[in-house]
Amino acid sequence: MTTTQPARTPLGSLPPREHLRLGQIETVLDVVIPVYNEETDLEPCVRRLHEHLTRTFPYGFRITIADNASTDRTPEVAALLDDAIDEVTAVRLEQKGRGRALRTVWTLSDAPVLAYMDVDLSTDLNALLPLVAPLISGHSDLAIGSRLARSSRVVRGPKREFISRTYNLILRGSLAARFSDAQCGFKAVRGDVAERLLPMVEDTGWFFDTEMLVLAERAGLRIHEVPVDWVDDPNSTVHLVRTATDDLKGVWRVGRALATGGLPLDRLVRPFGDDPRDREVPGVPGGLARQLVGFCVVGALSTLVYLGLYSLFRRGVGPQSANAAALLVSAIGNTAANRRLTFGVRGRDRVVRHQAQGLVVFAIGLALTSGSLAALDAATGHPSHGTELAVLVAANLAATVLRFLLFRAWVFPDPERRDELTASDAEPGLNAPHPPYAQSDPNDLTRSTR
């Protein structure tokens, strides 16, 4: 019969993570196997996975075959498995794309834990329970298998090894990704997270899960990694060059969206009630310790940049001009970094105002450092470059204390008031249209039933 997608849940903050109430849930885990023209491998894969889950998984489960518009006998094999095994369901999509298949099935699923694996079962199935356990317990939001962890045991050719490691290095360098293996076909996500995260993922192909992980990580969700035993499938039909090209295009698109603040990641923030950084400490204002650490890290890096720029500019201009130029450039970067990293302000709302206020704070720092240089010059006449740098460091330390107080009280006020302002500013955008995939034809999806 034809199945239509359920109404979308409005995007909003996630609730606190909790251990699933397993006694009240019939199907805890839904494992999706996306396939395209896999008539030979599909049946042994499903039967092996079903036998493993029956033997080792202590809760109710379902295996969903997501057929990506196969042109061979794959739909027939899937239908036979659907009829033969109670825990197996077959879904037919009329368009290709692994990402499209995963998003469609995960959106329709009622299971609180959603997973997927490749049909070749390259990953040893003993990693499946460790993969989903942190999601069931409420410890993590997503989980991935990693072939690049130290304790992983992997057998594959040098070409694939080189491509995989290069791709993950690109992700780390361009998108600041901290997870180790983006493309291992062995991942899981909590259903409540998927409900809000999937509408933000645009890719429908192989870059789908990478984009999902990057957005989740940037939103502050917790990603658990499991070392896996993995054996390469020499008969894999993945087109490496085309896939790599599409992935690089996806990296550029996501990187541009993150850089311009075009993604409402604040709607994925989860109120971590068990986070020790969120606990109230008598006599310490909320968030102060975390902000101090972030401010110190940003300040140390900004000071290094400032001193480097001062030394560079000093070669061509006098100390006052070099100081002003170096301080201006570093102040703009310092304000942007503190805005995002120290005070947790995301998006483009009021970014110009914040930079303008930051320049006022910069003017105060300029007065302190310029005054210190003028006093040094008046006292010694022609100070050495090392003496100038020492005086500037001391003046910047004094300016830093004042800068933090102004940032906290004026530029970036307390979080509760800021959140209220951000919510009121963002209200018109809540009804913004979804990406094009949201208007998919419900007739493109067919679910086999017994």
Side-chain angles (χ1 to χ4, degrees), residues 104-322:
T104 301
V105 175
W106 281 352
T107 301
L108 289 170
S109 180
D110 58 354
V113 178
L114 310 169
Y116 94 89
M117 62 182 61
D118 294 334
V119 69
D120 56 18
L121 295 186
S122 295
T123 304
D124 184 78
L125 292 178
N126 286 328
L128 182 55
L129 187 55
L131 183 80
V132 301
L135 309 186
I136 294 174
S137 70
H139 175 271
S140 300
D141 299 292
L142 299 92
I144 64 173
S146 175
R147 299 163 295 185
L148 303 180
R150 289 184 178 274
S151 56
S152 297
R153 295 178 292 184
V154 177
V155 178
R156 61 175 166 179
K159 180 180 179 180
R160 286 182 177 270
E161 180 77 9
F162 173 78
I163 292 175
S164 178
R165 291 188 178 275
T166 301
Y167 178 64
N168 283 283
L169 285 175
I170 291 174
L171 291 180
R172 287 177 176 269
S174 59
L175 300 179
R178 296 190 298 272
F179 47 84
S180 65
D181 191 352
Q183 288 287 33
C184 181
F186 196 70
K187 296 183 175 70
V189 58
R190 282 179 65 105
D192 57 348
V193 173
E195 183 180 21
R196 293 159 175 80
L197 179 59
L198 295 185
M200 300 176 63
V201 181
E202 293 186 21
D203 192 80
T204 59
W206 292 96
F207 187 68
F208 169 86
D209 40 355
T210 298
E211 183 174 357
M212 179 180 69
L213 290 174
V214 170
L215 298 184
E217 187 174 75
R218 286 299 185 95
L221 301 181
R222 180 175 290 160
I223 301 174
H224 178 75
E225 295 198 17
V226 177
V228 297
D229 297 340
W230 195 86
V231 179
D232 189 14
D233 178 14
N235 299 317
S236 174
T237 58
V238 177
H239 193 291
L240 294 180
V241 175
R242 183 173 64 245
T243 301
T245 302
D246 292 342
D247 286 345
L248 292 177
K249 292 179 180 178
V251 169
W252 169 256
R253 173 177 55 79
V254 172
R256 183 176 57 185
L258 292 172
T260 59
L263 295 168
L265 298 180
D266 55 316
R267 297 174 182 173
L268 291 172
V269 173
R270 188 189 288 277
F272 298 119
D274 58 347
D275 191 330
R277 296 172 300 179
D278 292 333
R279 296 173 185 170
E280 295 185 1
V281 180
V284 179
L288 177 60
R290 193 185 327 181
Q291 291 175 0
L292 280 172
V293 172
F295 186 81
C296 289
V297 172
V298 172
L301 295 177
S302 297
T303 300
L304 293 176
V305 172
Y306 162 74
L307 293 176
L309 290 173
Y310 177 81
S311 299
L312 178 64
F313 296 153
R314 188 66 178 84
R315 296 179 180 180
V317 298
Q320 295 290 0
S321 299

Side-chain angles (χ1 to χ4, degrees), residues 373-386:
L373 285 175
L376 176 65
D377 185 67
T380 61
H382 297 285
S384 66
H385 182 65

Side-chain angles (χ1 to χ4, degrees), residues 16-28:
R17 286 192 304 260
E18 295 181 352
H19 194 293
L20 297 177
R21 300 178 180 180
L22 301 175
Q24 304 174 13
I25 303 173
E26 181 177 354
T27 302
V28 173

